[in-house]
Amino acid sequence: MSDKKVFRTAGAAAKQNATAKGGGGGKYTWGVAGVNDLNFVTVLDRNDPNYDSAGEDEELSFNVVALDPQEAFKKGCADAIEEYFNSEDTAEAAESLHELDEPVWAYEFVKQAIVLSLDKSDRERELAARLLSSLYGSVLPATQISAGFRLVLQRTEDLALDSPNAAHTIGTFLARAVIDDILAPAFLKQNAPNAAANEALKRASALLNDGKRAGEQIESIWGGGEGRSVSQLKKALSVAVEEYLDGGDVAEMERTLRELNVPHFLYQLVKQVIYVALNKDNEKTLAALSSLLASLAQSGLLSNRAILVGFQACIDNVAELKKDYPDAKRLLEDFAKRAAKSGYLPDSFVENAPKTMEQRLQIDAEQTAALAAAIARSNEKQT
């Protein structure tokens, strides 16, 4: 037997641990953080400082070294984004972020999407912008978007050492985020943490103030991709749902979806249906909307993954939804039960939804309290 064997890599352990969270409820629930959140590397090497000679009489002996779970999360984000750059599958990226199971660190996903595109082509930068816009408000709450951009600005000076055009590109990302309505214009008025970040903020402001057609120019600055923008697609799906409720039929909806031809984006249709259900909240409308999803699922136009990702995005976003719909938690549970009864959503998802939403609400409450405390401390220093 060789003196040195590495039996498990961090990546392999992370992948295994992703489905072994304590208190979890399966693939589409966040689970509860526990010892399995740590990724492990197992080393058997007599020359390694971590080598443990105890139990040498056994066939195998090894020592376990725990890796930083946040570093593992960052790597998972990077892997998911690189895969997205290859596949252009937004739903898969959303699913990957959900399965990483660390909503508090979601800002790292925002940072990685921008940073990983710096040394790539305009295609990847356009894809990164579209991804953030697509996931905004559900998979990526507004607070995590702004936190991610803030982190990028803090690192702009360091990023410029390896990517000389970093400040210019980051400034363009800032302007695009404002145009896509995922970042407030006031964000650009903050004090820059370094000279390169100041350059990026000035670049963003210059782009946004460049005449009446500034918005159109920013949307197409990296080529704009093929077809409609993310905001146009969301609008088209929203209109299609409203027209269905105003007397349209399933066949008309199917024609619309075939014309749009965006199968990887159809989890957004599920989200739109659920948002309308929250807004209407009457038996006739709820029954019609649930029947629509059931019919689209049966026809094959709406995949099982699109349905799961769409429902999960709304469940994960319950804290934000409660601001507009105080009874959002109950309404989401009720609509998910309808979906399960109609056969297009797993019973296990419905069983785990209440626990997941309680976790989301708790995290939001803790973050809100921490932010309020930070603001209070800042005000005390100024007085």
Side-chain angles (χ1 to χ4, degrees):
M1 181 184 295
S2 169
D3 283 346
K4 182 174 182 179
K5 290 184 183 295
V6 178
F7 290 97
R8 294 173 64 197
T9 65
K15 190 171 184 180
Q16 178 176 333
N17 288 338
T19 59
K21 297 221 177 251
K27 187 175 182 182
Y28 294 98
T29 59
W30 286 96
V32 178
V35 294
N36 285 331
D37 289 312
L38 297 177
N39 303 316
F40 297 99
V41 175
T42 341
V43 178
L44 204 73
D45 181 5
R46 289 184 175 84
N47 297 317
D48 193 289
N50 293 311
Y51 175 70
D52 184 1
S53 62
E56 281 190 337
D57 55 323
E58 298 178 10
E59 183 177 353
L60 292 178
S61 171
F62 57 85
N63 197 30
V64 176
V65 182
L67 297 183
D68 182 354
Q70 189 168 9
E71 289 303 315
F73 177 76
K74 291 179 182 179
K75 184 182 183 303
C77 288
D79 291 345
I81 291 163
E82 291 287 5
E83 177 60 30
Y84 165 72
F85 285 158
N86 290 325
S87 69
E88 301 187 20
D89 189 336
T90 308
E92 182 181 36
E95 185 179 7
S96 296
L97 177 57
H98 174 75
E99 289 179 346
L100 286 172
D101 201 3
E102 296 291 357
V104 175
W105 296 333
Y107 58 83
E108 284 288 349
F109 188 88
V110 179
K111 184 197 77 176
Q112 294 275 7
I114 297 168
V115 171
L116 289 174
S117 73
L118 292 180
D119 291 327
K120 298 185 184 295
S121 68
D122 284 351
R123 171 187 172 273
E124 284 80 10
R125 287 187 274 274
E126 174 64 24
L127 285 172
R130 283 175 166 251
L131 178 63
L132 296 181
S133 182
S134 297
L135 303 186
Y136 169 76
S138 53
V139 182
L140 290 173
T143 52
Q144 296 286 358
I145 292 280
S146 59
F149 271 98
R150 191 170 291 110
L151 192 57
V152 171
L153 285 176
Q154 291 171 359
R155 289 197 55 206
T156 302
E157 204 159 63
D158 292 334
L159 293 169
L161 296 177
D162 296 320
S163 304
N165 292 324
H168 184 275
T169 306
I170 290 168
T172 307
F173 266 110
L174 287 166
R176 178 64 177 268
V178 171
I179 288 297
D180 287 343
D181 204 25
I182 67 173
L183 198 64
F187 184 91
L188 304 180
K189 300 185 183 300
Q190 65 179 284
N191 293 326
N194 53 67
N198 187 53
E199 182 183 340
L201 290 167
K202 286 184 176 179
R203 159 77 174 165
S205 296
L207 287 171
L208 291 165
N209 294 323
D210 191 21
K212 294 181 179 179
R213 300 190 62 189
E216 294 178 19
Q217 292 169 350
I218 292 170
E219 280 188 338
S220 61
I221 202 163
W222 290 316
E226 298 180 0
R228 308 185 190 200
S229 68
V230 171
S231 59
Q232 289 173 330
L233 286 172
K234 287 181 178 179
K235 179 65 175 176
L237 293 174
S238 177
V239 169
V241 173
E242 291 292 348
E243 288 180 347
Y244 167 77
L245 290 177
D246 286 342
D249 54 24
V250 175
E252 184 179 347
M253 175 65 79
E254 290 178 350
R255 284 194 297 272
T256 299
L257 297 184
R258 290 192 178 95
E259 288 172 4
L260 289 174
N261 191 27
V262 285
H264 299 324
F265 197 75
L266 290 187
Y267 74 97
Q268 289 283 351
L269 172 66
V270 180
K271 282 174 53 182
Q272 292 294 337
V273 166
I274 295 172
Y275 289 166
V276 171
L278 292 176
N279 189 46
K280 303 291 186 182
D281 189 22
N282 64 73
E283 178 58 32
K284 181 180 179 181
T285 300
L286 295 178
L289 291 171
S290 186
S291 176
L292 171 64
L293 293 181
S295 297
L296 294 176
Q298 187 175 9
S299 71
L301 276 173
L302 204 55
S303 68
N304 290 335
R305 188 175 70 177
I307 292 169
L308 284 165
V309 172
F311 268 91
Q312 190 65 63
C314 295
I315 295 294
D316 291 341
N317 197 39
V318 64
E320 287 296 316
L321 290 174
K322 274 180 69 69
K323 295 174 183 177
D324 294 320
Y325 311 103
D327 209 15
K329 182 175 179 293
R330 178 190 64 78
L331 293 171
L332 287 170
E333 286 183 38
D334 289 350
F335 198 70
K337 289 176 182 177
R338 287 176 182 270
K341 188 175 181 180
S342 297
Y344 62 89
L345 193 67
D347 289 334
S348 58
F349 182 96
V350 179
E351 292 169 4
N352 287 298
K355 181 179 179 180
T356 302
M357 286 191 282
E358 286 297 339
Q359 291 174 338
R360 287 291 164 280
L361 292 169
Q362 181 180 352
I363 289 171
D364 182 73
E366 291 172 354
Q367 290 179 335
T368 301
L371 179 60
I375 292 173
R377 287 194 298 269
S378 178
N379 291 335
E380 288 175 3
K381 289 180 181 180
Q382 294 175 11
T383 58

